[in-house]
Amino acid sequence: MKKFKNIFLGLSLVLAGALFMAFALPQDKKMGGPWEIPAKYKTMKNTIKDDASSLKIGKMLYTKHCKSCHGSNGLGDGPKARSMKTAIPPFNCEKFQAQTDGVLYYQSIIGRDEMPNYEKKILDEEDRWALINYLRTLK
Amino acid sequence: MRKNIFTLSFLLVFAFGSVLAQETETEKVIDKPVRSPFESGYLIDNQTTVIQPVNTLEFAIQHKFGTVENGHSDLWGLYASGANIRLGLSYVVANNVQVGIGVSKRNMTTDFNAKWTILEQTRNNTVPLALALYGNIAIDGRDKDQFHEDFKSSNRLSSFAQVIVGRKFSDAISLQTGVSFSHYNLIDMGNYHDKFALHFNGRFKVSPQGSIIFNFDAPLDLDYLDSAENYDNPKPNLSFGYEISTSTHAFQIYMGNSSGLIQQDIIVNNHSKIDMDNFMIGFTITRLWNF
C-alpha cells in the first residue's frame, strides 16, 4: 500500500511540476531593453527604393534568415521564438515602425545578444536594405 | 598676363577634367553576381558552383539507406544493413576557394577535396555562366589484408576531377552540367580504372525555402581509355528529391540508384541500373558557421 502511495505522490509531483513549468516558461522571457545605436547608424540613409523587385528580394531573405524566430508575418511567433530567453517584439507595432531605416539596419544586420549578426550572411548592402524595405511592409 | 591666362586655363582644364572623371566613375555600374543560384555547395551526389562567403565552415552529413526493394519488411531500406554514411567538413579559405575533408563508411574512405569557382554568373549577364573546378583525392582506409598480396600504399588512392558549368535561368530554375574524370589506382575485377562522365543537375524552386532537385551522372563508354573492353560500363546514376534551406542549414532528401557518396565511387563502381527496386532513400544535411 505504501508503495502505491509513493508512486501516487511521485506522479503528483511530476504533474504539479509540469503544470508549474507550463505557466512559468513563457513568463521567463525578459524584454530586451533599449538599443544603444551608434550615431553612424542613426543617420544612415536607405539607398534602395522599396519597389516590387526590392520587396521580393527582401521577402526571400526574410523567409530564409528571419522567419524561424520572427514568424511568417513578423509577429515574433516563429517556431524558434519559444526557446529564446528574450521576448521578440512584433514588427507591426508603432514603436518598431517609427524607428528610422538606419536603426532597423543596425538591429537587423549588426544585432546583439540573441539577435544574431548577419554581416557575414547577407553580404550585399543592397540586399540588406531590401530586407529593411520588406520589414516596413509588415505593419 | 599671358602667364596668368595660361595658369587659369590649366586650372580650368584640370578642374573640368576631374569633374568628368568623377562622373564616369559614378556612371560605372558593377554587375554583381546573381543571388544564390543554389542553396548549398551540395546537390545530392554532386557539387554546385556555390561557395559560401570567406571563412565559412560547412559540416555535411550524407546518408544513403538500403534499397527500397524489400518494401515494408525493412521499412523501404531505412532499416536495411549496408547503409553508407559520409561526414564532411569544408572551409572557405579565400573568395570562391574551398577546401574540405570527408570520411565515408564504405571502405573507410577519407577524401580530401577542393573547389574553385572561377566565374560567377552576373545579374546583367556580363558573365552569363558560372564555372567551377572540383577535385578530390581519396584514400581507401581498409586493412591492407583486404587488398591483394603485392599491396602498395598507392593502391589505396583514387581521384576525381570535374569542371562544372551552371546557370541560374530564373529565380526558380538553376541548371548545371559538367564533365569529369575518375581514376582508381586499384579496382575490383570487372571495373574500369578510368572513367570520363557527364553530369546534369538542377533545382526547381517551388517555395521560398523549398526546391525540387535532380541529379544525373552518365559514365561514358570510351573504349580507348581502358583496355578492359569486355567489362560492362558502369550504370548511370539518377537521383531526385526535395531540398529545404534555412539561414544556416540545407536539408536534401532524395532517392537514387547509386549507393556511393564520393563521386568516383558513383561513376566507376555503380552497377545497379535505374530501376525502381534499385532506388534507395538518402539525405544530406549541411550546417554553416561563419567566422
Side-chain angles (χ1 to χ4, degrees), chain B residues 219-249:
Chain B
L220 298 178
D221 197 357
L222 303 172
D223 288 344
Y224 62 86
L225 204 63
D226 205 306
S227 56
E229 289 167 28
N230 295 327
Y231 293 164
D232 283 343
N233 198 50
K235 298 287 183 279
N237 166 45
L238 173 71
S239 38
F240 51 88
Y242 192 72
E243 178 186 53
I244 300 161
S245 66
T246 68
S247 185
T248 47
H249 291 86

Side-chain angles (χ1 to χ4, degrees), chain B residues 89-114:
Chain B
L89 278 174
S90 57
Y91 193 74
V92 184
V93 288
N95 191 28
N96 285 331
V97 181
Q98 171 191 300
V99 291
I101 183 172
V103 180
S104 312
K105 183 184 163 194
R106 173 172 295 164
N107 297 345
M108 273 309 289
T109 308
T110 305
D111 62 278
F112 299 90
N113 56 70

Side-chain angles (χ1 to χ4, degrees), chain A residues 50-104:
Chain A
D50 57 347
D51 54 15
S53 146
S54 154
L55 293 178
K56 189 179 169 190
I57 295 156
K59 187 177 182 182
M60 185 189 81
L61 291 166
Y62 180 86
T63 311
K64 185 172 183 181
H65 298 290
C66 321
K67 197 176 106 175
S68 59
C69 291
H70 290 278
S72 304
N73 301 313
L75 299 176
D77 57 353
K80 271 158 78 180
R82 287 182 190 184
S83 57
M84 295 289 158
K85 289 173 187 161
T86 321
I88 303 177
F91 293 150
N92 63 357
C93 73
E94 271 180 37
K95 197 178 161 191
F96 177 83
Q97 292 291 343
Q99 300 176 106
T100 64
D101 283 351
V103 169
L104 292 191

